[in-house]
Amino acid sequence: MKPQRGKNSKKKGEVDPVEVYCRVRPLDNPDDNCCVKPLSTSVVQLIPPENSLAVARNGQIKEYQFTFQYVFDEYTSQKAVFDYVACPLVDDLIRGKNGLLFTYGITSSGKTYTMTGSPKDQGILPRCLDVLFNTISGVQAKKYVFKSDKMNGFEVQSEADAMIERQKRDLMPGITTPKTPTAQRRGNFGDQERISDPTILSSVDDDNQYAVFVSYIEIYNNYVYDLLEELPYDPITGYKPPQTKILRTDSSDCMYVMNCVEVEITSPEEAFEVLFKGQKRRKVAHTALNAESSRSHSIFNIRLVQAPLDPRGEEVLQDPDKICVSQLSLVDLAGSERTHRTKNAGDRLKEAGNINQSLMALRNCMEILRDNQKNSSNKMVPYRDSKLTHLFKNYFDGEGKVRMIVCVNPKGDEFDETIHVMKFAELSQEVLIARQQQVRFDIGLTPGRRKMNYKEKFKSEDDLCTAAKVPAFDFSLGPGFPPFELLRSSDDIVLPQLEKFLEERQKRREAMQLELDRQSDEFRAQLVEFERSYEQALVQNEELQQRVEKSESYVQKLEGRIRSLEKRMEENSRNYKESERQKRELAAMIQDKDVKIRQEKSEKERLKSDFRTRLDMNNQHWERNLEKERQKIEQDYGGQIWEKQQKLNMLRNIVNEGDSDAAMPAPQEIFRTPAPKVRTHTTPGKLLSARSENDMRKIGNTPTPRSRTATTGTSLSAARANLRPTPRSTSNTPKPTPAYNPRHRRSRSSNAEIWLDHRPPGSVELDTVLQPKIKKKKSVSKLEVKDTKEASKYMLTHQDMDSDDNLTTKIYKGECLPTAGGGTAVVFNDVEELKQTSPGSRKRRSSCPQPQDFEGEWSDVEDRCNIAIEGHGNARKRSKPGSATRV
């Protein structure tokens, strides 16, 4: 059985509550309002001041009473607190049990003072070290007998291995590189003299060997840092920042800080040196409530390693399963803070938030543990919400005793925060922890082995010489005096024997003196030789030291060159890898571009083939349509030609009858005159519907003039003859209704307004009959602001080709209205469209004979009227090229 931490036996049903103690600090100013009053050694009373939130919320003063394991008033000494709270934990530590003690409270409540104290009145931590070393002073193992295995466990070494390691780690560094002499520090309080605690406990086992290991860590902003870690030094940037540590579980499922520095100490002074080193690196800052406020949770771990002696009682038993490791963790928690009171900002505000969050996680774990025990529920305890609770998870699961000291500031202004601390302390006392039993080594060895091991040193001179490896010499003066008895003064028997004995004794003395002188000379000669060899060894050592220094400097230079070459190699390697990567990227890009080029080429070929196919299909379609159109036109004009031929025959007969002597041109020549181009003037129907009823009435009552289509070669008189009123016919033929002349167009710009005629450059001028008639206008090709301010009307000309390749001209008309910003807005209200269509290749002539075709004048009025009526009817039946319509 290996009684490591976490494997100690527990009996079912034996539990202990979390022991909570209360300590009230004295007021800084006796005149301040006090809100805390101890009623007894276990009860404390809280009285809210009038300006507290509790009074403001309830409207009345309500007193609160809280019960603790023990209440220490402001007059209690540090010694009394240690004896009552921490000394039993040190006794359990020696017996192989684990313990956890932490101070809890708001900021400036005396937590750090309770844990550390002052040189004249030490706190809990220094007194624990004093009592521990006072107790194990006679049974402490030599240094490096117990060695850490870097996984929260320990191994045992023999005395010889421990001595070699002591020489390697403690003696050799001082010989090769002497340390700079520094002033001797006294404890962890600088140059001040401290008063140690003389208490000695009786729980130590004389047949065991003990060793003490300490570590010092802090939890800052929910990160774990090692305060004893040696920081690497850079001559350019200085000391590098510390690295965070991670939490791990060992083989016994116990939590520990991985790669944390554990220092083996053999005296309280060494422990205070370690403590002072860690306190210099602890996070402390100034706030509005405390000049040296702790900004992190500090944890000082004391680990006591013990193992039994071998059957002879000389060395530690070389069995790793017989090692017992117990731990005492002393935790100084940072105080909870309210931002509106501490006035924190920046880093201080972030630190306060992390402190409050970790304390809240501790409270949540306590509440869930209490609920699980009261209600027999099995809720998961959120230990991992904070590094603090995660590290001490095993203590709350029953692997040690837990004690808490609640430090209270009795100042009235602190009541609102103190009441929360008291409620948490009252809640924590309801949490039960399984009791841990004492570890006993039952290995079957005889008790009292250490006392039986004491021997008599240097039993005889022979043993001494044998031990010193020098030749033995009998330095005695021979046998003792014989029992001479003189009966009278003239005894002839006894006196000669006594004289002989004294002579022999004198000779022996002289021989001894000679031997002593000889050995003294030999020893002196050996001593001189030794001094000479020692001096030579010193000289050789100095030379060797110089050579070593030179070699070290040369080695450093070589190492520098090696580092520079390694950096260059790494840089070249990075460049090579980068170039290879760029090469692969470029190759991939080229490949992608080649693929895209091939795709584009194939797409172009496909489009070309598709275009050719569509073009062929379109040509075939147009050819079919043109053929159909040609056939249709042939059919249409075939009938018209036949009709015209019939009319020509009629005219020929009339002419022949009326004037046989007049010469008449051939019918084919009448239609050879080229037709004029047609100009179509189109106006939107909505604008026509916007005309007034009077205008429409006038248009309906006005006689429609005849078509103004004229052929080349027509005389002016003949044209006028066509415009004469037709005489009444004596026949029964109905009189034709006058038709509306589609060429007639009323002028819409005949007012006195000033028109702005905007014609973009490149417009085609049309010499057509129908043109807008505008009296006052200003023509521009580029529109400017000053032009719009002078005009009241605006006209924009736009030309485009329609689907039949005919030129279409659109005229947009509008009114120029001034705006509030000093500009001009154009409101369009009319659009006119002018179309110019081609009459085609077919030449047409009038279907009726023209007056100029006759050499003489018509004498018969009735004949002329019939011809005019007949021609007017034919003109109405078909639309002629060159006609104009208005929609």
Side-chain angles (χ1 to χ4, degrees):
M1 192 256 311
K2 181 179 180 179
Q4 290 277 4
R5 174 189 167 194
K7 291 294 182 180
N8 298 317
S9 60
K10 299 184 290 291
K11 293 183 180 180
K12 186 176 181 180
E14 295 182 353
V15 293
D16 293 322
V18 175
E19 299 179 1
V20 182
Y21 302 86
C22 179
R23 186 180 189 185
V24 182
R25 65 161 290 178
L27 288 170
D28 296 332
N29 187 3
D31 297 333
D32 290 340
N33 187 17
C34 182
C35 65
V36 179
K37 179 181 179 182
L39 299 181
S40 65
T41 56
S42 60
V43 180
V44 66
Q45 184 181 28
L46 265 69
I47 305 172
E50 296 179 356
N51 58 350
S52 65
L53 295 177
V55 176
R57 203 166 31 239
N58 301 328
Q60 58 182 355
I61 299 177
K62 181 181 178 180
E63 297 179 353
Y64 300 88
Q65 290 186 2
F66 298 93
T67 303
F68 296 95
Q69 195 78 14
Y70 197 90
V71 177
F72 302 100
D73 57 13
E74 60 270 23
Y75 304 106
T76 305
S77 63
Q78 296 274 64
K79 174 67 174 175
V81 175
F82 169 77
D83 291 341
Y84 203 94
V85 179
C87 192
L89 294 179
V90 178
D91 187 72
D92 290 343
L93 178 70
I94 298 174
R95 296 178 186 271
K97 300 179 183 180
N98 302 322
L100 171 63
L101 173 63
F102 55 90
T103 57
Y104 183 82
I106 65 174
T107 184
S108 70
S109 59
K111 301 182 298 299
T112 304
Y113 179 79
T114 300
M115 186 62 67
T116 307
S118 63
K120 300 298 181 181
D121 193 8
Q122 295 184 125
I124 292 175
L125 198 155
R127 292 180 184 273
C128 287
L129 294 172
D130 285 337
V131 173
L132 179 61
F133 282 103
N134 292 341
T135 305
I136 66 171
S137 60
V139 292
Q140 189 172 354
K142 294 183 180 180
K143 208 169 184 180
Y144 305 120
V145 171
F146 296 100
K147 184 179 180 181
S148 175
D149 61 357
K150 305 299 183 181
M151 292 184 294
N152 205 36
F154 290 90
E155 299 174 348
V156 183
Q157 295 188 128
S158 62
E159 292 287 347
D161 294 338
M163 182 179 65
I164 293 174
E165 190 165 356
R166 282 196 300 271
Q167 293 177 355
K168 184 188 302 182
R169 299 176 61 177
D170 295 342
L171 300 178
M172 295 303 294
I175 296 175
T176 56
T177 56
K179 296 182 179 180
T180 303
T182 56
Q184 183 74 19
R185 284 199 297 266
R186 298 179 179 179
N188 63 324
F189 303 105
D191 296 333
Q192 302 182 25
E193 186 71 27
R194 73 178 188 91
I195 300 177
S196 60
D197 195 320
T199 305
I200 300 177
L201 302 178
S202 59
S203 56
V204 67
D205 189 352
D206 293 337
D207 292 330
N208 290 349
Q209 288 279 63
Y210 296 85
V212 181
F213 293 83
V214 296
S215 60
Y216 201 8
I217 61 174
E218 71 171 354
I219 301 177
Y220 176 70
N221 287 339
N222 207 26
Y223 290 100
V224 181
Y225 295 95
D226 187 3
L227 296 178
L228 303 181
E229 182 182 13
E230 294 293 339
L231 300 179
Y233 179 76
D234 191 346
I236 299 176
T237 60
Y239 287 101
K240 295 184 179 180
Q243 299 294 324
T244 60
K245 305 297 181 180
I246 59 176
L247 302 181
R248 290 288 180 87
T249 57
D250 59 6
S251 58
S252 302
D253 292 334
C254 297
M255 301 303 301
Y256 73 99
V257 180
M258 186 178 180
N259 295 329
C260 178
V261 177
E262 278 191 316
V263 182
E264 183 179 5
I265 55 177
T266 58
S267 64
E269 285 72 19
E270 293 182 7
F272 295 144
E273 289 289 336
V274 173
L275 177 64
F276 180 71
K277 177 182 177 181
Q279 283 184 341
K280 289 193 300 183
R281 294 171 53 183
R282 189 183 175 189
K283 304 295 187 302
V284 178
H286 176 79
T287 62
L289 301 179
N290 195 349
E292 294 183 358
S293 176
S294 301
R295 313 310 299 168
S296 63
H297 307 303
S298 65
I299 303 168
F300 191 85
N301 293 319
I302 303 174
R303 303 183 73 188
L304 183 65
V305 184
Q306 54 181 313
L309 294 173
D310 58 3
R312 299 178 59 185
E314 295 179 353
E315 296 184 3
V316 178
L317 190 66
Q318 301 293 317
D319 188 357
D321 294 335
K322 298 300 185 292
I323 299 176
C324 176
V325 181
S326 56
Q327 177 173 320
L328 174 61
S329 298
L330 304 176
V331 184
D332 182 12
L333 296 177
S336 59
E337 298 178 353
R338 294 289 181 92
T339 307
H340 70 277
R341 299 194 66 245
T342 57
K343 310 299 181 185
N344 288 333
D347 293 340
R348 303 289 85 79
L349 182 61
K350 180 181 179 181
E351 294 166 354
N354 288 306
I355 291 171
N356 294 336
Q357 185 177 2
S358 61
L359 295 178
M360 182 60 66
L362 177 62
R363 179 167 185 166
N364 292 337
C365 293
M366 289 288 189
E367 289 179 352
I368 294 177
L369 284 172
R370 184 194 62 174
D371 294 341
N372 290 343
Q373 294 169 0
K374 280 190 173 183
N375 303 326
S376 299
S377 58
N378 193 19
K379 296 180 182 179
M380 186 180 68
V381 184
Y383 291 117
R384 293 180 178 269
D385 289 352
S386 173
K387 291 291 192 299
L388 180 66
T389 54
H390 192 197
L391 180 59
F392 297 117
K393 167 182 175 294
N394 300 100
Y395 288 98
F396 297 107
D397 289 343
E399 301 299 339
K401 184 178 291 187
V402 180
R403 290 190 175 185
M404 179 172 61
I405 300 177
V406 177
C407 299
V408 179
N409 189 345
K411 192 175 181 180
D413 296 338
E414 310 291 345
F415 173 82
D416 294 325
E417 297 184 35
T418 302
I419 188 68
H420 293 290
V421 173
M422 291 296 187
K423 290 180 180 179
F424 170 69
E426 189 176 37
L427 177 146
S428 301
Q429 295 182 102
E430 300 178 5
V431 178
L432 302 178
I433 306 296
R435 183 179 299 174
Q436 192 177 19
Q437 302 298 325
Q438 182 179 357
V439 177
R440 297 185 181 278
F441 294 100
D442 188 9
I443 57 177
L445 297 179
T446 305
R449 298 183 299 279
R450 184 186 298 272
K451 296 179 180 178
M452 295 172 59
N453 188 38
Y454 292 114
K455 303 176 182 179
E456 296 182 2
K457 297 181 180 181
F458 309 115
K459 294 180 180 179
S460 61
E461 294 180 357
D462 295 337
D463 294 338
L464 182 61
C465 294
T466 303
K469 296 181 181 180
V470 296
F473 180 80
D474 187 9
F475 287 96
S476 61
L477 296 179
F481 285 91
F484 295 119
E485 182 179 0
L486 292 176
L487 300 177
R488 55 185 183 274
S489 58
S490 59
D491 190 347
D492 297 336
I493 298 173
V494 176
L495 289 177
Q497 294 179 356
L498 179 61
E499 183 179 359
K500 184 178 180 181
F501 176 78
L502 292 175
E503 289 177 356
E504 291 178 357
R505 189 177 181 86
Q506 182 64 26
K507 291 178 181 180
R508 183 177 290 277
R509 181 184 294 274
E510 292 177 357
M512 290 175 61
Q513 185 66 35
L514 293 175
E515 183 64 22
L516 179 63
D517 294 340
R518 185 185 63 80
Q519 292 186 4
S520 299
D521 294 339
E522 289 180 358
F523 179 74
R524 189 178 295 106
Q526 292 177 2
L527 184 60
V528 172
E529 184 66 23
F530 176 76
E531 289 179 353
R532 187 182 299 108
S533 61
Y534 179 72
E535 291 177 357
Q536 292 178 358
L538 290 178
V539 173
Q540 293 177 359
N541 190 16
E542 291 179 357
E543 294 178 355
L544 182 61
Q545 187 70 21
Q546 293 177 358
R547 292 180 182 178
V548 169
E549 291 177 356
K550 291 180 180 179
S551 62
E552 287 179 354
S553 62
Y554 182 69
V555 168
Q556 291 178 356
K557 292 180 181 179
L558 292 178
E559 289 178 352
R561 292 183 60 184
I562 290 172
R563 285 194 295 268
S564 62
L565 291 175
E566 288 178 351
K567 289 181 179 179
R568 290 179 60 184
M569 290 178 63
E570 291 178 357
E571 185 177 358
N572 292 334
S573 177
R574 287 195 300 268
N575 294 336
Y576 176 73
K577 291 180 181 179
E578 183 68 20
S579 61
E580 288 292 329
R581 185 183 63 79
Q582 293 179 357
K583 181 180 177 181
R584 289 193 297 269
E585 291 179 355
L586 292 175
M589 291 174 62
I590 291 172
Q591 187 176 2
D592 293 341
K593 288 184 178 180
D594 292 340
V595 172
K596 290 181 180 178
I597 289 172
R598 289 195 295 271
Q599 291 178 354
E600 290 178 357
K601 285 183 178 179
S602 62
E603 184 68 18
K604 286 182 180 180
E605 292 296 331
R606 188 185 64 79
L607 291 176
K608 284 182 180 180
S609 62
D610 190 11
F611 178 74
R612 292 193 190 98
T613 305
R614 291 187 180 182
L615 184 61
D616 295 339
M617 294 174 63
N618 194 15
N619 291 335
Q620 295 175 4
H621 177 72
W622 278 106
E623 288 176 358
R624 290 193 298 268
N625 291 340
L626 289 175
E627 183 65 24
K628 291 179 182 179
E629 190 68 22
R630 187 183 63 79
Q631 295 176 1
K632 182 179 179 182
I633 292 172
E634 286 180 355
Q635 293 176 2
D636 294 341
Y637 283 96
Q640 293 178 7
I641 291 171
W642 181 82
E643 183 181 357
K644 288 181 180 181
Q645 189 67 31
Q646 293 295 328
K647 291 180 180 179
L648 285 175
N649 294 332
M650 293 173 62
L651 288 174
R652 187 180 297 112
N653 294 332
I654 293 171
V655 171
N656 290 334
E657 292 177 359
D659 191 2
S660 58
D661 297 332
M664 183 176 180
Q668 291 81 4
E669 296 177 357
I670 298 176
F671 301 97
R672 290 178 182 175
T673 57
K677 295 183 179 180
V678 178
R679 179 180 185 272
T680 303
H681 183 81
T682 305
T683 304
K686 64 179 181 179
L687 299 179
L688 180 61
S689 64
R691 295 174 180 267
S692 64
E693 296 179 359
N694 296 327
D695 295 339
M696 297 299 293
R697 192 178 298 110
K698 290 178 182 180
I699 294 172
N701 297 330
T702 305
T704 304
R706 297 192 178 191
S707 174
R708 292 187 291 180
T709 303
T711 59
T712 306
T714 304
S715 64
L716 181 60
S717 61
R720 290 178 180 176
N722 289 333
L723 296 177
R724 293 173 187 169
T726 306
R728 295 180 179 269
S729 176
T730 58
S731 65
N732 295 329
T733 304
K735 183 179 179 180
T737 304
Y740 171 72
N741 186 5
R743 292 180 180 272
H744 178 71
R745 178 177 180 272
R746 292 176 57 85
S747 176
R748 302 181 59 189
S749 58
S750 60
N751 53 10
E753 301 288 342
I754 299 176
W755 284 80
L756 180 61
D757 186 9
H758 184 192
R759 291 177 179 269
S763 300
V764 179
E765 295 293 338
L766 303 177
D767 298 328
T768 57
V769 176
L770 299 179
Q771 292 287 341
K773 186 177 180 181
I774 302 174
K775 292 182 179 181
K776 296 181 180 181
K777 70 175 183 178
K778 180 180 180 181
S779 299
V780 295
S781 61
K782 183 178 181 181
L783 188 62
E784 294 182 359
V785 178
K786 63 181 181 178
D787 298 329
T788 60
K789 292 184 178 179
E790 298 175 357
S792 60
K793 298 289 186 177
Y794 176 77
M795 181 172 63
L796 174 64
T797 302
H798 174 69
Q799 292 181 342
D800 197 0
M801 302 296 292
D802 59 5
S803 60
D804 297 332
D805 294 334
N806 295 324
L807 182 64
T808 302
T809 303
K810 291 184 180 181
I811 301 175
Y812 299 85
K813 297 180 181 181
E815 296 183 0
C816 298
L817 302 177
T819 60
T824 304
V826 178
V827 180
F828 293 96
N829 53 20
D830 192 4
V831 180
E832 292 184 9
E833 183 177 1
L834 304 178
K835 293 184 179 180
Q836 185 172 4
T837 60
S838 175
S841 61
R842 183 183 299 274
K843 297 182 180 180
R844 297 182 183 179
R845 294 186 66 181
S846 177
S847 62
C848 61
Q850 299 297 324
Q852 63 270 20
D853 295 336
F854 301 94
E855 294 180 358
E857 296 183 1
W858 293 355
S859 60
D860 190 62
V861 177
E862 184 177 358
D863 294 336
R864 292 196 300 269
C865 292
N866 290 334
I867 294 171
I869 291 171
E870 184 180 359
H872 181 69
N874 294 331
R876 292 178 60 190
K877 289 181 181 179
R878 60 183 179 272
S879 82
K880 295 182 179 180
S883 63
T885 58
R886 179 180 180 88
V887 183

